[in-house]
Amino acid sequence: MSSWDARWDQARAELDPAGALAPVRVAAEHRGAYRATAAGEVGWIELSGKAFHEAGDKRALPAVGDWVLVEGWPEAVAGRGAAVVRAILPRRSLLVRRAAGLATAPQPLAANVDVGIVMTSANTDLVPARLDRYVGLLRDGGIEPVIAVSKLDLAADPGAALAAARAVHPRVVGVSVVTGVGLDEIRALGGAGRTAIVLGSSGVGKSSLLNALLGTALETGAIRDDERGRHTTTHRELFEVPGDGAWIDTPGMRELAQWIEDEARPEEEQAFDDVAELAAQCRFRDCRHHEEPGCAVRGAVAPERLASFHKLADERRAAAARQASARKIAETRKARAKKPPPSDR
Ligand SMILES: Nc1nc2c(ncn2[C@@H]2O[C@H](COP(=O)(O)OP(=O)(O)OP(=O)(O)O)[C@@H](O)[C@H]2O)c(=O)[nH]1
Ligand SMILES: [Mg+2]
Ligand SMILES: [Zn+2]
């Protein structure tokens, strides 16, 4: 239960005994400023510069879904500047992007979410590994996962699509915003003080589902011919249904699926999408894009950009080598300690 309740009241009283601050919920982030909502009212909120700089870890910053205590809320609602965040109430769940590499700290995606709807289209190939990662990500965050198989009206074999999803996770709902099938079941997952988040690749129909459920007018997009989608939704956003629940729309591929799929890749490839894409065409699979023959990257990427790529790659390799040798030294020490002392006879 992530909407305001007695437990939140208690947490608030501990942080703000005088009750001078207003509790509001973070609805969206726009480059360091945040939109917040409370009882149907909306306003801008911001961190003080000091709090921003003291936040060593991104998890110390407000995330969509956070309940925060702010000063100056009435003015913010009236459109006179931004209220200032004084505290984040302890989170009941937190969806994070796992740390991908050595330099990347865990990134919070959404806080205080009860249920995560992982959406996949019945109209395209279902990728079990991808669904599995979303489900795992939700579980790790303390959020209940449910798979939604969308666009059931377009499926050649809806039963097969649902069965494939059930093989990944037992809770599956088939939906179509065209026929309306499954909408009641999805609606019942949220509401009554609960917060739901919808995740999945671009173009699967996340925003369309929320429009059908909430009567919102979120932008939805046509699928490109290559079925890769266009990333119509560009940022995470929470929609409050006053007195009921809240729903969070998310962008597809680029922001989330990409991150999840990125986990296994070296940091430099994650940071340099263009290089990673071109690298698939290099003659050698392990091409480092220096002097190798048949390199598809060298001629196509600006020299300064390639230099930055190489710098990051070198740093990552050096750090990995340092870790490996530290491990080796530790293992050798352990092995030595186990050996019986040399006898002097
Ligand atoms: N036939 C059919 N089309 C659907 C259904 N749901 C969504 N669509 C269409 O699929 C396209 C993509 O839908 P969106 O809701 O924008 O997808 P999204 O997941 O929000 O995509 P991003 O915002 O890019 O992540 C749109 O053209 C929708 O009209 C459905 O149940 N049936
Ligand atoms: Mg969308
Ligand atoms: Zn190359």
Side-chain angles (χ1 to χ4, degrees):
M1 299 295 139
S2 299
S3 293
W4 195 258
D5 60 23
R7 258 173 75 206
W8 288 120
D9 248 341
Q10 206 174 340
R12 170 208 193 175
E14 276 165 31
L15 288 165
D16 175 31
L21 305 170
V24 301
R25 197 155 190 207
V26 179
E29 190 202 331
H30 299 272
R31 294 205 175 83
Y34 306 85
R35 281 301 270 177
T37 142
E41 292 186 310
V42 294
W44 288 101
I45 62 172
E46 64 186 14
L47 287 176
S48 67
K50 183 166 165 278
F52 191 81
H53 290 296
E54 282 174 356
D57 187 312
K58 287 233 168 67
R59 281 171 300 186
L61 298 173
V64 168
D66 262 326
W67 282 102
V68 295
L69 300 179
V70 300
E71 197 176 318
W73 182 241
E75 292 77 10
V77 170
R80 293 198 301 274
V84 178
V85 177
R86 295 297 179 207
I88 301 176
L89 296 189
R91 293 159 174 157
R92 295 185 189 170
S93 70
L94 185 66
L95 182 64
V96 291
R97 171 200 176 185
R98 292 180 208 121
L102 300 165
T104 40
Q107 299 238 21
L109 297 176
N112 305 318
V113 176
D114 301 287
V115 60
I117 297 163
V118 179
M119 190 172 259
T120 184
S121 164
N123 193 32
T124 51
D125 283 339
L126 183 146
V127 184
R130 184 189 293 150
L131 292 183
D132 200 52
R133 292 188 116 157
Y134 278 114
V135 167
L137 197 75
L138 289 164
R139 282 215 182 100
D140 289 353
I143 301 159
E144 177 194 350
V146 176
I147 297 181
V149 178
S150 67
K151 307 191 190 182
L152 226 53
D153 56 290
L154 296 178
D157 187 351
L162 294 169
R166 270 188 211 107
V168 176
H169 179 65
R171 288 201 66 185
V172 173
V173 182
V175 297
S176 166
V177 300
V178 174
T179 65
V181 64
L183 294 184
D184 286 341
E185 214 174 321
I186 296 285
R187 194 178 283 113
L189 294 171
R194 286 162 67 82
T195 298
I197 191 166
V198 190
L199 305 172
S201 301
S202 190
V204 294
K206 300 177 297 294
S207 301
S208 302
L209 174 75
L210 292 185
N211 284 342
L213 290 180
L214 309 177
T216 42
L218 301 173
E219 200 187 331
T220 60
I223 302 278
R224 282 194 325 214
D225 289 345
D226 59 9
E227 290 269 329
R228 286 181 69 187
R230 293 188 323 177
H231 313 300
T232 305
T233 303
T234 54
H235 58 273
R236 296 181 292 282
E237 185 154 10
L238 177 141
F239 300 90
E240 194 195 22
V241 185
D244 192 17
W247 296 81
I248 302 174
D249 191 14
T250 66
M253 273 306 274
R254 191 148 291 163
E255 196 184 22
L256 211 89
Q258 195 64 44
W259 283 355
I260 292 170
E261 276 154 25
D262 270 351
E263 267 174 60
R265 296 162 58 204
E267 239 175 306
E268 66 270 19
E269 287 185 18
Q270 297 174 34
F272 293 84
D273 269 355
D274 48 343
V275 173
E277 199 163 305
L278 288 160
Q281 290 154 39
C282 292
R283 184 178 308 160
F284 301 110
R285 256 193 70 89
D286 58 352
C287 185
R288 291 187 178 184
H289 328 305
H290 282 289
E291 305 291 322
E292 297 91 337
C295 176
V297 172
R298 225 169 31 243
V301 173
E304 317 80 67
R305 189 159 169 81
L306 190 56
S308 317
F309 171 87
H310 282 141
K311 185 161 174 276
L312 185 57
D314 291 345
E315 281 167 7
R316 181 190 56 82
R317 287 199 192 95
R322 274 197 305 276
Q323 280 190 346
S325 72
R327 224 173 7 245
K328 212 170 216 162
I329 291 168
E331 274 164 17
T332 314
R333 281 210 185 111
K334 229 197 232 155
R336 277 212 195 108
K338 270 193 197 142
K339 256 193 211 153
S343 91
D344 43 19
R345 259 181 289 156

